[in-house]
Amino acid sequence: MRNDMTPDSDRATFSAEDERWMRHALALATQARDRDNEVPVGAVLVLDGEAVGEGWNRNIALSDPTAHAEVNALRAAGQKLGNYRFPGATLYVTLEPCAMCAMALIHARVGRVVYAANDPKTGAAGSVFDTLISQRHNHRIEVQGGLLAETAAALLRDFFRQRR
């Protein structure tokens, strides 16, 4: 079940561990910006309290339209665990997943997604589409949005402001 998707959503719904992992995802987003001059989005996949995969946007660096932070985190987890499914895992990501990433998360059987900023143009976790919780799929993902949303949104705003 998803919570209120506004940036000021009830902080009590997030644990200290949620905040810890989202701060890690934000550090990965900063790495995307600083190291690769990519749109600053970071993601970390956590299973049983351990980071099993992490990623950041690498579309430009890899000349790959699928190299979103979430997909890169899933790929890293697959390599580490020798599997393509991650039941019970939580993905922390700094921007609401798009439709492509949402479907990858469904296919990977991720249990939960926690994201920071809404994506009002392509968000597939409640802003534009409800892909992660759609009854049409054989797997639904628990979704919580808004954790450290303003921090993530500011990172994105500043990035695009500097590019203009």
Side-chain angles (χ1 to χ4, degrees):
M1 174 191 296
R2 68 175 199 211
N3 291 329
D4 179 15
M5 296 298 180
T6 62
D8 298 321
S9 64
D10 182 7
R11 309 248 328 145
T13 61
F14 300 108
S15 70
E17 281 295 296
D18 289 335
E19 188 166 334
R20 172 182 168 236
W21 289 115
M22 185 60 75
R23 289 195 185 283
H24 184 74
L26 285 163
L28 295 169
T30 301
Q31 182 172 313
R33 178 197 67 198
D34 296 346
R35 187 172 118 182
D36 295 327
N37 197 30
E38 296 272 1
V39 175
V41 178
V44 59
L45 187 68
V46 176
L47 182 62
D48 298 327
E50 176 190 350
V52 294
E54 58 184 41
W56 54 93
N57 275 6
R58 308 249 5 251
N59 309 75
I60 298 165
L62 299 177
S63 299
D64 181 354
T66 69
H68 288 194
E70 300 94 324
V71 171
N72 291 330
L74 291 172
R75 288 175 178 155
Q79 297 249 319
K80 180 175 183 170
L81 300 176
N83 201 339
Y84 68 102
R85 295 229 167 128
F86 314 106
T90 297
L91 181 86
Y92 295 89
V93 61
T94 60
L95 182 64
E96 179 181 0
C98 69
M100 174 188 72
C101 292
M103 286 309 300
L105 293 163
I106 289 168
H107 288 299
R109 302 297 191 264
V110 169
R112 180 175 173 237
V113 169
V114 177
Y115 71 87
N118 289 344
D119 186 344
K121 293 184 179 181
T122 63
S127 290
V128 179
F129 306 105
D130 281 326
T131 306
L132 294 177
I133 62 167
S134 174
Q135 297 295 321
R136 295 176 182 204
H137 305 299
N138 61 348
H139 178 73
R140 280 164 291 291
I141 297 174
E142 179 186 346
V143 178
Q144 291 179 277
L147 178 59
L148 301 175
E150 187 48 45
T151 304
L155 190 62
L156 288 160
R157 270 193 312 271
D158 292 347
F159 175 81
F160 287 113
R161 195 173 289 137
Q162 289 177 351
R163 291 195 114 190
R164 288 188 188 115

